[in-house]
Amino acid sequence: MGALASFSADTLDGGTFTQDDIQEKDVTVINFWSLTCGPCIAEMPDLAAFAAALPDNVQVITVCLDGAGNETYAGTVLEEAGFVGVTLI
């Protein structure tokens, strides 16, 4: 398998997520969601439980498609669901 090309995205908490963060784990699961998607928000507690049950070499990240400019609301959704992890915006 080839190396991951250069990648960088802003995180909900104001940081940056890069290809190095992906390469730190053996598997990265990416969940795309939106603040306007009721089913996406409804499944977030299940996603949080799934992420918490994974071994240390696997990570779950989320991508909030409409999170830019709505960081507070996105953070509230994730906090209420119990999701602990990286969210890209």
Side-chain angles (χ1 to χ4, degrees):
M1 186 181 315
L4 180 65
S6 179
F7 170 80
S8 177
D10 294 331
T11 62
L12 184 63
D13 64 4
T16 302
F17 189 84
T18 70
Q19 71 277 359
D20 295 334
D21 296 303
I22 293 173
Q23 291 175 339
E24 286 179 0
K25 302 292 183 174
D26 293 328
V27 176
T28 298
V29 177
I30 303 173
N31 177 282
F32 291 86
W33 64 289
S34 170
L35 294 167
T36 59
C37 173
C40 299
I41 293 172
E43 77 178 2
M44 199 57 70
D46 291 332
L47 182 68
F50 170 71
L54 294 172
D56 290 340
N57 66 328
V58 180
Q59 66 181 333
V60 173
I61 65 170
T62 74
V63 179
C64 185
L65 299 173
D66 53 358
N70 296 303
E71 291 87 356
T72 301
Y73 180 43
T76 299
V77 169
L78 294 166
E79 184 178 334
E80 288 177 358
F83 181 78
V84 177
V86 174
T87 295
L88 308 182
I89 54 170

